[in-house]
Amino acid sequence: MASAEVLKELQRKHPSVKLPVGQDVSAWPVDKLSEYFEKQVYLDSMLDSDVSDEFDSDVEEADRGAPLSNLDKIMEVTAPRIDIQKSSEPQPSLSPLVPTGDAKKSTEGGRAFRVMVYGATGYTGQLICKDAISRDMDIVMAGRNESKLRDLSSKLSPRRATPIAAIDLRDTCALDRALEGISVVVHCAGPFAETFAPMVEACIRNGVHYVDINGEISVIDSISQYSEAAKRKGIMLLPAVGFDVVPSDTLAFALSKKVQECDLRSSGCKLKLYFHYNESGALISRGTSNVMRSGKRGVYLCRESGKISEVPSKAVPLAEREQCSYAPYTSATLLSVKPASMADVATAFFSTGIANIYCYMSDKASMIQFRSIVTPFSEAVSDRGQKTQPIGPTDKENEVGEAYVHGSIHNGSTKLVSGTLKCPAPYKVTYMAVRYVLDQISQEGFKPGFNTPTTAFGLDFLGSCQMKLHLD
């Protein structure tokens, strides 16, 4: 199709997009035209609707499909299969490649403690593997691509190659074989709506603890349905052990403990969480960019009367938007915010018992993220430029980055308690949180069944993730 015809079709589909002044766009190549319209459409959505901010897997996507008005509809997307049996039927897959290695001396349940990181070659998976190897933890780096896994093993442990396992999650037999001798799976491969069920079920079949860094609301709720099966096996299912949701879950839990005399399950009680980042803290990985690009526009998710609800976003002028301060960790300046579909809509319900949950993102942080989204990612660069950027924040950016969460609990129109939390950059929080969880499980410090970060470990992440908490 000629450029002029493509332009006509794009204008028909996206009549709100304004063409650049003084340029003959009909002469542009088709790919340049498509990219321009894609960016402009996304910018429009940033200005008048929410942006899902899920700092999770390297290839994670948000769920798409029919509108979700409550938990029952969400569960239809990824309904778990509770009858879990080991399969003897072979399925097409890549063969597991798990070289024998010396197990770390620490034990869990009387056996050597070994961790599988599935999705190891993604940006966040690499951070987790690098941290684990630096602490001499016995790990297996797993995923689908054998070549990438071998390269990563050589890169992170050049003197002594870390074991790898190339596995297709559709191959139940291969997955079961790969989990032999594994104590914990850290699942980092998205989109989690497509990958969580086979991995959770394999962990239950084989008596292996399940930990993930997912921030997908529907997936977290679906994993909760496996709780009884996990309890029978004596294992823990712990999703959302990343920036989504460790800091905000910690804040929500701390706030709820300050008002224990109140009935948090009452219909008038609500939790509000507000997110903000400094310049480096707002930077995102290629996978997070994929989430934000693919998410449904013009709506946001909240929890109302215990049910997850999809609410249409409304264009609100900046001057009329709700505002939030993140003092004492930033200046007392009020920043405008807008609704955001954060994973706390799922987890905070289990952590606090509060049935009405609303999340917001600062407009300033959203626009920083937007600039990152429209800049192409490249594995060939290590520094951030105007035309390209690395596949995730650099080590320096992760060191200087900061994130802030303000929260409040209300009963009707009365504010009961509020507070603010400060933490390191999101991706740094993720690998530190995973580190703490693995250390606890290795010492048999876990709670069987489905958990959120705080139902499992309370306020322990404050210290382990270098967070600071101020309650008003």
Side-chain angles (χ1 to χ4, degrees):
M1 185 182 294
S3 293
E5 295 175 347
V6 172
L7 175 61
K8 184 177 180 180
E9 178 65 15
L10 288 171
Q11 287 181 304
R12 184 188 67 79
K13 290 183 176 180
H14 309 292
S16 64
V17 172
K18 292 182 170 57
L19 298 179
V21 178
Q23 297 189 42
D24 181 13
V25 296
S26 63
W28 285 3
V30 170
D31 58 348
K32 184 177 179 180
L33 266 177
S34 300
E35 181 181 9
Y36 175 81
F37 270 80
E38 179 184 359
K39 289 181 178 180
Q40 294 304 310
V41 169
Y42 191 85
L43 178 57
D44 289 344
S45 74
M46 289 284 293
L47 293 176
D48 63 16
S49 67
D50 85 295
V51 176
S52 173
D53 174 51
E54 298 178 352
F55 287 89
D56 291 309
S57 76
D58 191 53
V59 292
E60 187 180 44
E61 292 184 9
D63 293 328
R64 289 167 288 180
L68 311 177
S69 60
N70 54 48
L71 177 58
D72 294 334
K73 289 186 179 180
I74 285 181
M75 293 302 297
E76 291 175 4
V77 179
T78 51
R81 302 182 297 279
I82 301 302
D83 183 18
I84 302 168
Q85 302 289 333
K86 286 194 177 183
S87 172
S88 60
E89 296 298 322
Q91 302 292 330
S93 76
L94 300 171
S95 299
L97 302 168
V98 189
T100 301
D102 295 331
K104 193 181 177 185
K105 292 182 179 179
S106 63
T107 60
E108 182 269 328
R111 64 179 177 179
F113 188 74
R114 173 173 265 200
V115 177
M116 173 184 283
V117 180
Y118 190 88
T121 60
Y123 174 76
T124 311
Q126 289 187 46
L127 292 179
I128 291 170
C129 289
K130 182 179 179 180
D131 182 67
I133 291 171
S134 73
R135 298 185 302 119
D136 197 30
M137 179 168 282
D138 183 30
I139 69 168
V140 175
M141 297 189 297
R144 286 180 53 88
N145 191 308
E146 177 186 342
S147 177
K148 287 186 177 181
L149 288 168
R150 290 193 180 280
D151 290 345
L152 181 62
S153 178
S154 298
K155 172 186 173 183
L156 297 184
S157 50
R159 295 183 179 179
R160 179 185 174 197
T162 299
I164 65 171
I167 317 160
D168 188 328
L169 293 180
R170 295 170 298 179
D171 188 337
T172 303
C173 293
L175 186 53
D176 285 339
R177 290 195 301 270
L179 290 183
E180 292 178 4
I182 298 296
S183 305
V184 189
V185 166
V186 179
H187 188 36
C188 303
F192 287 94
E194 297 177 11
T195 66
F196 89 92
M199 184 60 83
V200 167
E201 293 176 6
C203 285
I204 294 174
R205 284 195 305 271
N206 293 276
V208 176
H209 299 290
Y210 173 90
V211 175
D212 75 30
I213 58 169
N214 126 69
E216 298 178 39
I217 293 170
S218 63
V219 171
I220 293 168
D221 271 303
S222 293
I223 292 174
S224 72
Q225 303 302 306
Y226 290 91
S227 189
E228 290 304 316
K231 287 179 181 178
R232 289 192 294 271
K233 283 286 191 173
I235 63 169
M236 179 166 65
L237 304 179
L238 183 58
V241 184
F243 180 79
D244 278 345
V245 297
V246 168
S248 46
D249 197 50
T250 298
L251 175 59
F253 183 79
L255 292 174
S256 70
K257 293 303 179 185
K258 291 287 288 185
V259 289
Q260 287 183 312
E261 71 280 2
C262 300
D263 181 9
L264 297 180
R265 295 183 181 273
S266 68
S267 60
C269 191
K270 62 184 175 183
L271 169 68
K272 303 177 78 174
L273 295 169
Y274 303 81
F275 296 79
H276 178 58
Y277 316 87
N278 68 1
E279 185 83 23
S280 293
L283 296 173
I284 60 175
S285 72
R286 180 172 56 188
T288 303
S289 174
N290 290 339
V291 177
M292 299 167 77
R293 283 177 177 273
S294 63
K296 189 175 182 180
R297 303 299 166 200
V299 300
Y300 66 91
L301 297 181
C302 63
R303 191 182 285 271
E304 295 179 322
S305 301
K307 296 182 179 180
I308 295 173
S309 301
E310 184 180 86
V311 181
S313 297
K314 297 180 180 179
V316 179
L318 285 175
E320 299 177 15
R321 292 187 181 183
E322 189 170 347
Q323 296 182 319
C324 179
S325 167
Y326 300 87
Y329 302 119
T330 67
S331 69
T333 303
L334 291 171
L335 299 177
S336 63
V337 300
K338 59 186 176 184
S341 300
M342 306 300 285
D344 304 88
V345 169
T347 55
F349 176 68
F350 298 101
S351 301
T352 68
I354 297 174
N356 302 287
I357 303 167
Y358 305 88
C359 297
Y360 305 83
M361 174 77 65
S362 74
D363 288 296
K364 184 176 181 180
S366 292
M367 292 312 296
I368 295 173
Q369 292 177 350
F370 170 71
R371 290 200 302 270
S372 188
I373 286 174
V374 298
T375 303
F377 292 90
S378 173
E379 296 183 6
V381 301
S382 57
D383 295 317
R384 197 168 301 279
Q386 292 184 340
K387 294 185 177 181
T388 58
Q389 62 182 327
I391 62 171
T394 64
D395 290 345
K396 181 179 179 180
E397 289 165 343
N398 277 332
E399 284 304 312
V400 300
E402 293 181 345
Y404 316 93
V405 187
H406 179 77
S408 57
I409 295 177
H410 305 252
N411 188 7
S413 60
T414 303
K415 182 189 293 186
L416 301 177
V417 63
S418 64
T420 305
L421 182 146
K422 172 186 174 182
C423 67
Y427 298 100
K428 183 176 180 179
V429 167
T430 297
Y431 74 75
M432 289 193 297
V434 170
R435 174 201 301 172
Y436 177 77
V437 170
L438 293 179
D439 285 346
Q440 292 303 302
I441 296 176
S442 72
Q443 300 168 35
E444 301 192 43
F446 62 88
K447 181 180 176 183
F450 167 82
N451 281 273
T452 67
T454 56
T455 62
F457 301 111
L459 298 176
D460 291 359
F461 289 104
L462 282 173
S464 61
C465 295
Q466 302 174 12
M467 299 189 288
K468 295 182 179 180
L469 174 64
H470 174 82
L471 298 181
D472 300 328

